[in-house]
Amino acid sequence: MTGSRIIGTGSALPRRIVTNAELAQKVDTSDEWITARTGIRQRHIAEPDETTSTLAIAAARAALADAGVEASSIGLIVLATATPDNTFPATATKVQAALGCNGGIAFDVAAVCSGFLYALATADSLLRTGMAKRALVIGAETFSRILDWEDRTTCVLFGDGAGAVVLEAPLAETDAGSPGILGTRLHADGDQHDLLYVDGGPSSTQTVGHVRMRGPEVFRHAVVNLADVLREVLEDTGVTADQLDWVVPHQANARILDATARKLGISPDKVVVTVQDHANTSAASVPLALDTARKDGRIKPGDLVMLEAMGGGFTWGAVLLRW
Ligand code: UT7
């Protein structure tokens, strides 16, 4: 049976754009290095009045408007973030309050850059079991708040933003051409903790901490894990790589996107790339890229769209859906 359907998308970015050239005035880096090694040209960085929740609320409102549905119809909010406004309560509950749809289910998911995939899979499962009829699934981050701005190996890579989708319970009757989620695979490997983590937290240091990453090792794992999980979902669903209309990947590095697509024989012009504008926005990157490709007319009804991501934990996953 085809799973839940995305009926609207939205996104929000902080007002301030920081170019590579501006960063090069603060840390020992250059526009040439960042562009050549990552594809990133700029990122949006939150001002003090912009938080994960304000971005999430704006993205959620845009997704509701796009779907043409009222906030009061939302019975479930799943928000993926590694940078919540507060340790608790969940940022999802702030979104719920701002939208005025109190009373339903609202919680956060922590799977860092794969967070949106984890959130989408969780929301789909809850909708399939009848726990709610319509959900908001949000990826929202202010990673700039946990960057070490003196560490050039990480601070140039990330940006802030939010993306959201309205997800509706599966149709009662579906066939092979029906819109909805066709296949999902999620994975985690806790042995790889030290390759990508934050060196603080409430229970360990009572501080927020900073992002630490062994970039080249993460890069190698990312290409292998992403290619593997894409193959798994293709096999599960009986879809071949050349039948995909679009791949919407987590936007960490343009070279990871190229290498993964090459491994699977997917044409680069089917891969949605927004890393040049947004940098790595962690859990927000997939829904931001999805919203971009939908609003510019690339993704059309009936298209086969593969979402994929990999991040700290390690966690990784992929979701295939028909638009
Ligand atoms: O979202 C979660 C998943 N995250 C990822 O997927 C990130 C995966 N990793 C990557 O994208 C890449 O490994 C990076 C972009 C982080 C780094 O690119 P790289 O080609 O692997 O570079 P490297 O770390 O091997 O560094 C090459 C050189 C080093 O200098 P030496 O030792 O060759 O002299 C670094 O010190 O580049 C130097 N370097 C920089 N130079 C200028 C590192 N960062 C910078 C910088 N500006 N910002």
Side-chain angles (χ1 to χ4, degrees), residues 56-62 64 70-74 77 92-102 136 138:
I57 291 161
R61 288 203 167 112
L64 289 168
E70 297 295 327
S72 55
S73 68
I74 299 296
I77 301 176
T93 60
K94 281 192 158 181
V95 176
Q96 191 200 49
L99 298 178
C101 52
N102 303 10
L136 267 168
I138 306 168

Short mmCIF file of all heavy atoms in Angstrom, two decimals, residues 56-62 64 70-74 77 92-102 136 138:
data_model
loop_
_atom_site.label_atom_id
_atom_site.label_comp_id
_atom_site.label_asym_id
_atom_site.label_seq_id
_atom_site.Cartn_x
_atom_site.Cartn_y
_atom_site.Cartn_z
N ALA A 56 10.99 27.60 12.01
CA ALA A 56 10.08 26.45 11.84
C ALA A 56 8.64 26.93 11.66
O ALA A 56 7.90 26.40 10.82
CB ALA A 56 10.18 25.53 13.05
N ILE A 57 8.25 27.93 12.44
CA ILE A 57 6.87 28.44 12.36
C ILE A 57 6.63 29.06 10.98
O ILE A 57 5.60 28.81 10.34
CB ILE A 57 6.61 29.45 13.49
CG1 ILE A 57 6.58 28.72 14.84
CG2 ILE A 57 5.31 30.22 13.26
CD1 ILE A 57 6.79 29.62 16.06
N ALA A 58 7.60 29.83 10.50
CA ALA A 58 7.44 30.46 9.17
C ALA A 58 7.36 29.39 8.08
O ALA A 58 6.53 29.49 7.16
CB ALA A 58 8.60 31.42 8.92
N ALA A 59 8.21 28.37 8.17
CA ALA A 59 8.19 27.29 7.16
C ALA A 59 6.87 26.53 7.23
O ALA A 59 6.27 26.18 6.19
CB ALA A 59 9.37 26.35 7.37
N ALA A 60 6.39 26.28 8.45
CA ALA A 60 5.13 25.54 8.63
C ALA A 60 3.96 26.33 8.04
O ALA A 60 3.11 25.77 7.35
CB ALA A 60 4.89 25.27 10.12
N ARG A 61 3.95 27.65 8.31
CA ARG A 61 2.86 28.48 7.77
C ARG A 61 2.88 28.45 6.23
O ARG A 61 1.84 28.37 5.59
CB ARG A 61 3.00 29.93 8.25
CG ARG A 61 2.65 30.08 9.72
CD ARG A 61 2.23 31.52 10.06
NE ARG A 61 1.61 31.53 11.38
CZ ARG A 61 2.15 32.10 12.46
NH1 ARG A 61 3.31 32.75 12.36
NH2 ARG A 61 1.53 32.05 13.62
N ALA A 62 4.09 28.51 5.66
CA ALA A 62 4.20 28.47 4.19
C ALA A 62 3.71 27.13 3.64
O ALA A 62 3.03 27.08 2.60
CB ALA A 62 5.66 28.72 3.78
N LEU A 64 1.47 25.12 5.06
CA LEU A 64 0.01 25.07 5.21
C LEU A 64 -0.67 25.88 4.10
O LEU A 64 -1.66 25.42 3.50
CB LEU A 64 -0.40 25.63 6.57
CG LEU A 64 -0.06 24.78 7.79
CD1 LEU A 64 -0.26 25.57 9.09
CD2 LEU A 64 -0.92 23.51 7.83
N GLU A 70 -6.06 24.41 6.81
CA GLU A 70 -6.01 25.19 8.05
C GLU A 70 -5.11 24.53 9.08
O GLU A 70 -5.07 23.30 9.17
CB GLU A 70 -7.41 25.30 8.66
CG GLU A 70 -8.42 26.04 7.81
CD GLU A 70 -8.07 27.51 7.63
OE1 GLU A 70 -7.50 28.10 8.58
OE2 GLU A 70 -8.35 28.05 6.55
N ALA A 71 -4.44 25.33 9.89
CA ALA A 71 -3.60 24.78 10.96
C ALA A 71 -4.42 23.91 11.91
O ALA A 71 -3.92 22.92 12.45
CB ALA A 71 -2.94 25.92 11.74
N SER A 72 -5.72 24.26 12.07
CA SER A 72 -6.56 23.50 13.01
C SER A 72 -6.73 22.04 12.58
O SER A 72 -7.13 21.19 13.37
CB SER A 72 -7.93 24.16 13.14
OG SER A 72 -8.50 24.27 11.84
N SER A 73 -6.40 21.73 11.32
CA SER A 73 -6.55 20.34 10.84
C SER A 73 -5.31 19.49 11.14
O SER A 73 -5.29 18.30 10.83
CB SER A 73 -6.82 20.33 9.33
OG SER A 73 -5.67 20.76 8.61
N ILE A 74 -4.28 20.09 11.74
CA ILE A 74 -3.03 19.37 12.01
C ILE A 74 -3.11 18.65 13.36
O ILE A 74 -3.25 19.28 14.40
CB ILE A 74 -1.82 20.34 12.01
CG1 ILE A 74 -1.67 21.01 10.63
CG2 ILE A 74 -0.53 19.62 12.42
CD1 ILE A 74 -1.35 20.09 9.48
N ILE A 77 2.65 17.06 14.94
CA ILE A 77 3.80 17.85 14.48
C ILE A 77 5.07 17.10 14.90
O ILE A 77 5.27 16.83 16.09
CB ILE A 77 3.82 19.27 15.09
CG1 ILE A 77 2.54 20.03 14.70
CG2 ILE A 77 5.06 20.04 14.61
CD1 ILE A 77 2.42 21.41 15.33
N ALA A 92 8.73 21.56 18.73
CA ALA A 92 7.45 21.26 18.05
C ALA A 92 6.27 21.83 18.82
O ALA A 92 5.28 22.26 18.22
CB ALA A 92 7.29 19.74 17.90
N THR A 93 6.37 21.87 20.16
CA THR A 93 5.24 22.39 20.93
C THR A 93 5.14 23.92 20.78
O THR A 93 4.06 24.48 20.86
CB THR A 93 5.34 22.03 22.43
OG1 THR A 93 6.55 22.57 22.98
CG2 THR A 93 5.33 20.52 22.64
N LYS A 94 6.28 24.58 20.55
CA LYS A 94 6.24 26.03 20.29
C LYS A 94 5.56 26.30 18.95
O LYS A 94 4.82 27.28 18.80
CB LYS A 94 7.67 26.60 20.25
CG LYS A 94 8.28 26.83 21.60
CD LYS A 94 9.54 27.67 21.41
CE LYS A 94 9.93 28.39 22.69
NZ LYS A 94 11.13 29.22 22.50
N VAL A 95 5.86 25.45 17.97
CA VAL A 95 5.22 25.59 16.66
C VAL A 95 3.72 25.38 16.81
O VAL A 95 2.91 26.16 16.29
CB VAL A 95 5.81 24.57 15.65
CG1 VAL A 95 5.08 24.65 14.31
CG2 VAL A 95 7.31 24.80 15.45
N GLN A 96 3.36 24.35 17.57
CA GLN A 96 1.94 24.05 17.78
C GLN A 96 1.22 25.26 18.39
O GLN A 96 0.14 25.67 17.93
CB GLN A 96 1.80 22.83 18.70
CG GLN A 96 0.40 22.28 18.77
CD GLN A 96 0.20 21.43 20.00
OE1 GLN A 96 0.54 21.83 21.11
NE2 GLN A 96 -0.35 20.24 19.81
N ALA A 97 1.84 25.85 19.42
CA ALA A 97 1.20 26.99 20.09
C ALA A 97 1.06 28.17 19.13
O ALA A 97 0.02 28.83 19.09
CB ALA A 97 2.03 27.38 21.32
N ALA A 98 2.12 28.43 18.34
CA ALA A 98 2.07 29.58 17.41
C ALA A 98 1.00 29.38 16.35
O ALA A 98 0.37 30.35 15.91
CB ALA A 98 3.44 29.76 16.75
N LEU A 99 0.80 28.13 15.94
CA LEU A 99 -0.20 27.86 14.90
C LEU A 99 -1.60 27.73 15.48
O LEU A 99 -2.59 27.71 14.73
CB LEU A 99 0.15 26.58 14.13
CG LEU A 99 1.48 26.57 13.36
CD1 LEU A 99 1.69 25.21 12.71
CD2 LEU A 99 1.50 27.67 12.31
N GLY A 100 -1.68 27.58 16.80
CA GLY A 100 -2.98 27.47 17.45
C GLY A 100 -3.67 26.14 17.19
O GLY A 100 -4.90 26.09 17.07
N CYS A 101 -2.88 25.07 17.07
CA CYS A 101 -3.52 23.75 16.86
C CYS A 101 -3.22 22.84 18.05
O CYS A 101 -2.91 21.66 17.89
CB CYS A 101 -3.09 23.12 15.55
SG CYS A 101 -1.32 23.01 15.28
N ASN A 102 -3.32 23.40 19.25
CA ASN A 102 -3.01 22.65 20.48
C ASN A 102 -3.92 21.45 20.65
O ASN A 102 -5.05 21.45 20.19
CB ASN A 102 -3.18 23.57 21.69
CG ASN A 102 -2.31 24.81 21.59
OD1 ASN A 102 -1.74 25.07 20.54
ND2 ASN A 102 -2.23 25.56 22.65
N LEU A 136 2.31 17.95 10.27
CA LEU A 136 3.37 18.84 9.78
C LEU A 136 4.69 18.15 10.12
O LEU A 136 4.90 17.74 11.28
CB LEU A 136 3.33 20.18 10.51
CG LEU A 136 2.53 21.31 9.88
CD1 LEU A 136 2.37 22.44 10.88
CD2 LEU A 136 3.20 21.81 8.60
N ILE A 138 8.71 18.86 9.99
CA ILE A 138 9.55 20.07 9.86
C ILE A 138 11.00 19.70 10.14
O ILE A 138 11.29 18.90 11.03
CB ILE A 138 9.09 21.14 10.89
CG1 ILE A 138 7.59 21.43 10.74
CG2 ILE A 138 9.91 22.42 10.74
CD1 ILE A 138 7.00 22.25 11.88
#
